[in-house]
Amino acid sequence: SQRQGVDQQKWVGALVLRGNRCVLARSLDSPRAWLGMRIPRAALRPSESEADAALRAAMDSCDIDESYKDTELERLPAIPPAALHIGETGEASFALIHPLYAARPPPPGALEDADLTDDEDSYDWYTWPRAVHVLRHDAASLAALRTLACGVAAAVGAGAVASKWGGYFGQEWLLARPPPAPAPPPIAADGPSF
């Protein structure tokens, strides 16, 4: 697509899942390419598929060697990608965020032990509440996370994705009990009047 006669760069990203956790990435560059945490993403290369670019974004963010790409991450074709709108307000730029699944289980021990923040590492694992907290100032990323969490829940409900290693990403939000609906107004004994 073009805007004002200039080709826009196309972006693709990955939400790497493992049970009820996802990966968020930080820049270790000096100076930092971005501040804080974000959903991994990368520019689409010429003649690269979006699915391959998403895999590359995840591998780069998680420091996975190319030789392990087929053993460390699994594609999740039962969950559609979600749009992450990026750029300044009014720009029509977005990254399609593809869900991927970590092929290996979490390290032995309590799952919460993996929830530590390591500023020296390019990524950390986040549960839904922690991801929402760290991205609280990034409405576009939160919208993409919500969309993907709904897709994950639908795939789990259909049996297309397993609920394991603590459940599935977004369950804390999606399984929360909504407040009770207000009671409907009483109906007159002789029926409604119009």
Side-chain angles (χ1 to χ4, degrees):
S1 121
Q2 291 190 349
R3 186 171 189 258
Q4 299 176 356
V6 178
D7 284 336
Q8 281 191 301
Q9 178 64 60
K10 190 164 186 179
W11 292 88
V12 177
L15 188 66
V16 180
L17 306 169
R18 183 172 67 195
N20 68 334
R21 286 158 172 76
C22 76
V23 162
L24 296 177
R26 71 174 53 81
S27 171
L28 297 178
D29 298 335
S30 184
R32 302 244 187 228
W34 68 87
L35 297 176
M37 304 303 286
R38 75 177 195 183
I39 298 171
R41 61 182 182 248
L44 184 66
R45 294 176 178 162
S47 58
E48 181 179 40
S49 74
E50 288 181 1
D52 286 344
L55 191 60
R56 179 173 51 83
M59 291 171 42
D60 290 350
S61 295
C62 298
D63 200 26
I64 298 172
D65 187 83
E66 174 76 19
S67 62
Y68 293 107
K69 76 176 182 181
D70 295 326
T71 60
E72 295 294 320
L73 298 169
E74 299 171 358
R75 297 172 199 247
L76 295 172
I79 305 170
L84 167 59
H85 295 274
I86 54 179
E88 299 299 317
T89 303
E91 290 185 14
S93 183
F94 64 91
L96 279 181
I97 307 300
H98 293 254
L100 299 171
Y101 211 88
R104 299 181 190 273
L111 292 174
E112 295 75 25
D113 292 348
D115 292 346
L116 302 174
T117 299
D118 182 356
D119 291 335
E120 304 294 315
D121 204 351
S122 61
Y123 71 97
D124 287 320
W125 290 98
Y126 287 84
T127 59
W128 176 263
R130 290 184 66 233
V132 168
H133 177 75
V134 78
L135 296 173
R136 67 190 175 278
H137 301 296
D138 185 351
S141 289
L142 290 174
L145 279 185
R146 284 185 199 102
T147 302
L148 287 162
C150 289
V152 169
V156 167
V161 172
S163 177
K164 59 183 179 180
W165 303 329
Y168 61 90
F169 184 69
Q171 68 187 7
E172 299 89 342
W173 171 53
L174 293 164
L175 295 178
R177 292 193 158 188
I187 298 176
D190 24 334
S193 59
F194 293 98

